[in-house]
Amino acid sequence: LMAVSPVDIANLALTRLGQDTIVSLTDESSRARAVNAVYSISRDAVLRGHPWNFAQKRVKLTADSAAPTFGYTKQFELPADFLRVTRMEEQSRDFRVEGNKILCNASTINVVYTYRVTDSNLFDNLFVDTLAYRIAADTARQLTGSIETHSQMIQLYERSLTEAKFLDSSEQPDLNLNPSYLLESRLADSPYRAIEDTNS
């Protein structure tokens, strides 16, 4: 892993748009304001779109005292940094994510989940490249006024994302036959989604 800051990622995105770089995300420039407005949303959207190896946590959850009204017997509070379920330890277990809860028919569950990684030094190199393209795509219209540039950045983002996901997946073969992972993959079939429900 390389040491990289949010400003480094922002400047990579800006350079791809032919824009001048910035010193801080809180600069008074229109470039800094544009990137700062989308950085967290873009980051979480790319994180949520794939079970990145660097963004995984394992947790054992104990059921709440209150139960769902119907359908399941138990519910569990999601971790504050939760973005998506990667898999359950018991892969055939039926579950559903609703709001900030996991609904399930068990008293305790072991969950692997993608978490909101805010420390950019933990980012995989290919994730950095992909996130920079995402930010470029999300700010292209505002900063360049060009629909063509916006479309080009989307295409480059999708290409970078495909490569990064392929290489990342090659290091997690246990997910290939995982039912919950396959279900999550179907729910995220479009690699470019303007604004995702990253807080779900």
Side-chain angles (χ1 to χ4, degrees), residues 7 11 22-29 32-33:
V7 173
N11 283 332
I22 59 176
V23 175
S24 169
L25 290 179
T26 57
D27 285 357
E28 290 301 316
S29 67
R33 288 195 297 269

Side-chain angles (χ1 to χ4, degrees), residues 48-167:
R48 182 169 157 78
H50 176 75
W52 306 97
N53 290 324
F54 71 86
Q56 300 305 301
K57 281 187 179 180
R58 295 168 184 257
V59 64
K60 183 172 186 174
L61 300 177
T62 301
D64 296 349
S65 56
T69 303
F70 64 90
Y72 293 88
T73 59
K74 301 292 182 181
Q75 65 183 23
F76 305 81
E77 185 85 15
L78 290 171
D81 58 1
F82 173 88
L83 287 178
R84 67 178 283 183
V85 173
T86 300
R87 65 182 174 89
M88 292 279 192
E89 183 180 39
E90 187 176 327
Q91 297 183 10
S92 62
R93 187 180 298 283
D94 180 37
F95 72 93
R96 182 179 180 86
V97 176
E98 291 184 355
N100 66 339
K101 305 286 186 179
I102 295 180
L103 310 185
C104 192
N105 296 320
S107 297
T108 61
I109 53 175
N110 293 331
V111 181
V112 180
Y113 71 97
T114 299
Y115 76 100
R116 179 177 292 105
V117 184
T118 58
D119 183 355
S120 56
N121 290 308
L122 300 177
F123 293 167
D124 176 87
N125 293 355
L126 289 178
F127 179 87
V128 169
D129 186 63
T130 300
L131 176 56
Y133 275 122
R134 173 70 186 235
I135 292 171
D138 287 345
T139 58
R141 290 285 295 275
Q142 179 179 351
L143 293 178
T144 70
S146 169
I147 296 175
E148 181 180 356
T149 300
H150 175 62
S151 298
Q152 181 185 32
M153 289 301 110
I154 291 175
Q155 292 172 6
L156 291 171
Y157 164 68
E158 290 177 342
R159 184 183 306 169
S160 178
L161 179 62
T162 298
E163 178 186 3
K165 288 169 65 174
F166 174 78
L167 292 175

Side-chain angles (χ1 to χ4, degrees), residues 11 13-22 30-31 140 143-145:
N11 283 332
L14 290 169
T15 299
R16 288 169 174 170
L17 293 174
Q19 302 288 307
D20 291 337
T21 58
I22 59 176
S30 59
R31 303 182 308 283
L143 293 178
T144 70

